[in-house]
Amino acid sequence: MDSLTKKPRLATVWLGGCSGCHMSFLDLDERLFELHRRAEICASPFTDYKDFPEVDITLVEGAVTTAEQLEEIRHVRRRTKILVSFGDCAVTGNVTAMRNFFSVDDVLDRAYRETATQIVGIPSGNPAVPRLLDRVRPVHEVVKVDYFLQGCAPSAEEIYRLLMDLLDGRTPALAGRKFGS
Amino acid sequence: MSVKTLTIDGKMVTGMAGETIFNAAWEAGIRIPRLCHVGGVSDVGACRLCLVEIEGQKKLLAACLTPVEEGMVVHTNTERLRAHRRLILELLFAERNHVCSVCVMNGQCELQDLAAEAGLDHVRLRYQFPKLGVDTSHERFGLDHNRCVLCTRCIRVCDEVEGAHTWDVSGRGARSVIIADMGEPWGQSESCTSCGKCVQVCPTGALFSKGRGVGEMRKDRRFLKYIVTAREKHQWIR
């Protein structure tokens, strides 16, 4: 609960995903006003914040693919009451995890040497470039997840329903959702 | 032929002697989940999704392989069975690379539907990410081992309906793979008649027609019923 506005505090996080789930979130369109009336949206990929705030609900898009994201999601988990895996990359690894068929070295070689045309070479020693984990993981493999919203991407309707269920204190009705849908 | 009367999920059901619990249940409108069963070919009990509880029996039995018996009391949807089915589906998803969002069968897939029916919202097991190939050597069809659940429908329809027996299983356990002839690329198979029956019965995107994009593959099994009716009843009707 936000101390000033007395509304539940909501955040969204973007890990290893294509941002499609966030685009779907933006498809809430005019319902964003209703959402704003019901919840204090205090952190998102579009928000400038130094430290992830204490929140009631966080939607996590994307799989965990870098060491930085691993640290970030652990931090987010500590500061969030209800954590939702938001979309297939968060839930299953999805397309992001398809690099798991190859070693990290092979993946970097392909991206930064074999197919590079301008600057050829793997960026190393630069702390601004996060280190890739050996394996891309779904979010629930690294932190406890409370709810799973499948879909690539979930529709705005489903996102809205989930958020309204959570804000009304109901257990979200997520049965019958399909992976990939 | 004698008729057997039994109880399935509290409902009185009759079946012919030798008929499976699975068939008797479906005829009575009780839909037991299945992945390896397909009407018109023999059953093998490979997927274990149709496991049922029979009163007086300790073991769970595959409904597709267990004949009905007089006075049997069968339960098809207990909490224990639902837990087993969920785990079976999770094992299937974790064992190979089922990336639904980029699959030709997205939206039409039986595995995807079964997971949704079972309320499977995430897989608790660690995904294995086996490195598996895609055989696109056939002129019209492709075989994507990443999506294969080893139900063996393709093998049975090819053997029992088409009579070619192009397909078989090679290897053991999780390393099993479907092979054409003696392990040749499909396009070089001498026994394959290119009839496409295997493609149509495949429950997932493992067997597909070339040229289909994500979610564009459709499968049509009406041919199987047509052939089986023609064989058994000598009626060539659609």
Side-chain angles (χ1 to χ4, degrees):
Chain A
M1 189 75 77
D2 194 83
S3 58
L4 279 175
T5 62
K6 307 293 176 208
K7 292 189 284 192
R9 290 165 64 80
L10 172 71
T12 70
V13 174
W14 180 15
L15 306 179
C18 71
S19 92
C21 296
H22 271 88
M23 293 302 122
S24 212
F25 180 87
L26 292 179
D27 284 341
L28 287 173
D29 298 335
E30 68 272 21
R31 283 167 294 190
L32 284 167
F33 292 107
E34 173 62 13
L35 184 62
H36 174 67
R37 204 178 61 74
R38 299 286 313 276
E40 187 65 22
I41 303 169
C42 37
S44 78
F46 321 105
T47 321
D48 187 17
Y49 58 83
K50 294 236 165 12
D51 197 12
F52 189 81
E54 295 269 353
V55 294
D56 296 291
I57 303 164
T58 302
L59 303 183
V60 186
E61 173 186 343
V64 183
T65 173
T66 69
E68 188 184 49
Q69 287 168 354
L70 182 59
E71 202 177 307
E72 183 185 358
I73 193 62
R74 284 178 176 152
H75 185 58
V76 167
R77 175 70 269 190
R78 280 193 293 271
R79 301 198 141 209
T80 302
K81 285 196 189 116
I82 300 170
L83 189 77
V84 181
S85 270
F86 172 36
D88 270 3
C89 289
V91 177
T92 73
N94 200 21
V95 173
T96 311
M98 284 169 73
R99 79 153 159 91
N100 288 358
F101 308 131
F102 311 99
S103 72
V104 170
D105 287 343
D106 288 348
V107 168
L108 290 172
D109 262 349
R110 175 60 64 93
Y112 289 99
R113 285 209 188 103
E114 289 169 30
T115 56
T117 50
Q118 300 289 318
I119 304 164
V120 180
I122 294 166
S124 58
N126 181 346
V129 183
R131 183 174 61 80
L132 291 183
L133 298 174
D134 289 348
R135 257 177 91 250
V136 177
R137 292 167 174 161
V139 174
H140 65 269
E141 268 193 33
V142 296
V143 293
K144 181 179 171 284
V145 170
D146 299 295
Y147 296 107
F148 299 84
L149 181 58
Q150 294 148 287
C152 181
S155 68
E157 283 66 35
E158 286 161 329
I159 298 166
Y160 190 67
R161 211 180 313 135
L162 170 90
L163 287 172
M164 287 303 133
D165 280 346
L166 292 174
L167 291 168
D168 289 339
R170 289 188 297 267
T171 302
L174 296 169
R177 293 277 310 131
K178 279 185 193 177
F179 294 121
S181 60
Chain B
M1 211 190 268
S2 73
V3 172
K4 310 276 184 188
T5 307
L6 64 158
T7 311
I8 305 179
D9 292 345
K11 190 174 175 181
M12 289 290 279
V13 170
T14 54
M16 303 303 276
E19 191 181 0
T20 64
I21 295 174
F22 184 90
N23 274 348
W26 272 67
E27 274 164 29
I30 299 164
R31 295 180 67 249
I32 301 173
R34 81 282 186 259
L35 198 50
C36 69
H37 168 90
V38 63
V41 297
S42 64
D43 283 307
V44 289
C47 74
R48 315 313 286 172
L49 283 169
C50 74
L51 284 177
V52 291
E53 285 180 29
I54 297 166
E55 285 187 13
Q57 287 262 12
K58 263 191 183 168
K59 281 200 320 193
L60 301 175
L61 292 172
C64 73
L65 291 178
T66 311
V68 292
E69 272 172 50
E70 187 64 36
M72 232 178 197
V73 181
V74 183
H75 302 281
T76 75
N77 196 18
T78 63
E79 201 167 309
R80 180 182 172 208
L81 290 170
R82 283 196 296 273
H84 281 307
R85 285 185 189 132
R86 184 189 157 124
L87 186 59
I88 289 165
L89 291 166
E90 285 177 276
L91 284 160
L92 289 173
F93 276 106
E95 188 174 286
R96 296 217 172 170
N97 307 305
H98 297 279
V99 190
C100 301
S101 62
V102 291
C103 180
V104 287
M105 277 287 274
N106 188 13
Q108 325 292 327
C109 171
E110 291 184 40
L111 178 64
Q112 198 182 23
D113 288 345
L114 284 164
E117 262 176 53
L120 186 69
D121 60 359
H122 72 292
V123 173
R124 294 166 294 178
L125 307 159
R126 198 172 145 142
Y127 289 98
Q128 297 299 300
F129 295 105
K131 212 167 176 177
L132 295 161
V134 182
D135 182 345
T136 54
S137 60
H138 192 280
E139 193 186 350
R140 286 161 54 206
F141 310 120
L143 165 58
D144 184 351
H145 293 285
N146 294 282
R147 312 281 193 254
C148 176
V149 291
L150 296 168
C151 66
T152 70
R153 282 185 187 180
C154 54
I155 297 175
R156 285 172 284 145
V157 79
C158 183
D159 177 39
E160 297 169 21
V161 181
E162 177 62 9
H165 200 131
T166 298
W167 298 116
D168 222 314
V169 181
S170 154
R172 295 181 69 82
R175 292 205 183 131
S176 305
V177 282
I178 298 293
I179 54 163
D181 289 352
M182 300 303 282
E184 283 94 348
W186 188 2
Q188 288 168 31
S189 162
E190 284 183 18
S191 64
C192 176
T193 62
S194 299
C195 71
K197 290 185 178 68
C198 53
V199 176
Q200 301 306 324
V201 297
C202 172
T204 69
L207 288 163
F208 56 92
S209 304
K210 281 185 170 178
R212 298 291 191 279
V214 171
E216 286 179 356
M217 185 68 203
R218 297 287 182 279
K219 301 200 175 178
D220 184 356
R221 268 172 222 141
R222 282 172 300 182
F223 79 90
L224 199 50
K225 198 173 177 199
Y226 172 72
I227 292 172
V228 171
T229 310
R231 272 190 184 170
E232 289 175 359
K233 299 182 183 161
H234 301 285
Q235 293 174 339
W236 282 261
I237 47 166
R238 288 265 170 207

